[in-house]
Amino acid sequence: MRKIANEELGRLSAEDFQQAGKFPYVLVLDNVRSHHNVGSVFRTADAFAAEKIYLCGFTPQPPHREIHKTALGSENSMAWQHAREVQQLVLILKQEGYLIAVVEQTNTPTLLQHFKPESTQKVAFVFGNEISGVADEVVALANVCLEIPQFGTKHSLNISVAAAVVMWQFVRNRNNP
């Protein structure tokens, strides 16, 4: 057994990745404060072939040294767009046929492992601020509120970790219906 070199991985170039097929989901980051969290989401979204990332409100945007530190160039391969108002963006995504899946602890959650949308359904996963979470107005617009089961003493995950778990589960379900 041996580790393989990066050249052996057969990874796409940024240009080829932009043209390659993607899984039918987008990420919406609303008022995320940390540049490192944003960069990490870019990197994971690239790994799991998301269509696009929407950066809403005061969420930091590329180009920025601190985003690049964790994105490692994926901020150049991933499609992204800034949207000032998350509520307006969510309404537009709904009109475009996206199921709005807010990742938040609510009184009526769907546990992530039970979320299995139709194979043709496009999904917009919404993640909120590191402290206050997803805005109440956006929760009210959601089609579903997803909760990641947790078993320890803490009741939340870092936003970049939560996004990674959600993306992996979505892609896993799409590859193993």
Side-chain angles (χ1 to χ4, degrees):
M1 183 179 323
R2 70 172 177 82
K3 290 184 357 181
I4 58 176
N6 284 342
E7 300 78 41
E8 296 177 274
L9 292 173
R11 300 288 186 196
L12 298 173
S13 68
E15 296 77 25
D16 290 340
F17 178 79
Q18 290 168 349
Q19 302 303 315
K22 307 290 187 295
F23 287 96
Y25 74 99
V26 298
L27 304 168
V28 178
L29 306 184
D30 185 35
N31 290 326
V32 172
R33 298 173 309 153
S34 167
H35 291 78
H36 294 136
N37 282 338
V38 172
S40 183
V41 170
F42 265 92
R43 189 170 168 187
T44 307
D46 175 290
F48 293 122
E51 291 176 349
K52 192 173 199 175
I53 300 172
Y54 291 94
L55 306 173
C56 301
F58 60 72
T59 303
Q61 304 166 49
H64 193 282
R65 179 176 50 93
E66 294 300 313
I67 292 174
H68 180 73
K69 188 183 286 186
T70 50
L72 294 180
S74 59
E75 73 276 25
N76 301 316
S77 60
M78 275 303 306
W80 68 274
Q81 178 180 334
H82 179 258
R84 186 177 307 241
E85 295 293 330
V86 67
Q87 294 95 327
Q88 183 180 12
L89 171 65
V90 166
L91 291 171
I92 290 168
L93 290 171
K94 273 187 154 184
Q95 289 174 349
E96 293 177 358
Y98 284 87
L99 180 114
I100 307 302
V102 169
V103 181
E104 185 61 84
Q105 295 165 330
T106 67
N107 63 334
T108 58
T110 296
L111 295 178
L112 180 61
Q113 69 268 28
H114 300 306
F115 178 64
K116 295 186 172 132
E118 295 294 322
S119 62
T120 57
Q121 179 65 62
K122 301 183 297 185
V123 180
F125 294 106
V126 181
F127 299 88
N129 177 271
E130 291 94 336
I131 302 298
S132 57
V134 177
D136 291 340
E137 300 81 20
V138 178
V139 171
L141 294 172
N143 299 103
V144 62
C145 294
L146 299 177
E147 185 173 327
I148 300 168
Q150 298 167 56
F151 308 100
T153 61
K154 300 301 174 193
H155 299 285
S156 66
L157 295 171
N158 179 284
I159 193 262
S160 64
V161 173
V165 169
V166 168
M167 285 186 264
W168 164 244
Q169 184 68 29
F170 181 77
V171 169
R172 180 176 173 257
N173 285 344
R174 289 294 163 117
N175 284 335
N176 300 302

